[in-house]
Amino acid sequence: MQIQINTDHNIEGHEALAAHVSGIIESALSQISDHITRVEVHLRMRTATRSTAMMTFVA
């Protein structure tokens, strides 16, 4: 399963963030990961105090 993490210009996309997000996704999808080829994660800052995430699963 390939995990692609995209961020907007307000979020620093360091490797630590990518590793953390990847770990959460791998853990959450562990039972069905054999059926998923790619996961795209889009992180963006909505306001100074809130952020949102959107994930796309490709089987």
Side-chain angles (χ1 to χ4, degrees):
M1 175 174 59
Q2 178 185 3
I3 300 173
Q4 180 178 345
I5 300 171
N6 302 298
T7 61
D8 72 0
H9 65 279
N10 293 315
I11 299 176
E12 295 181 12
H14 295 293
E15 289 188 29
L17 173 64
H20 179 70
V21 172
S22 292
I24 291 170
I25 293 169
E26 288 172 356
S27 180
L29 300 177
S30 64
Q31 294 183 5
I32 59 170
S33 63
D34 291 342
H35 303 286
I36 299 172
T37 57
R38 184 178 74 220
V39 176
E40 292 184 28
V41 180
H42 300 269
L43 302 173
R44 67 181 175 125
M45 187 69 73
R46 287 180 58 180
T47 65
T49 59
R50 289 181 56 191
S51 63
T52 62
M54 177 183 74
M55 292 191 301
T56 304
F57 301 97
V58 178

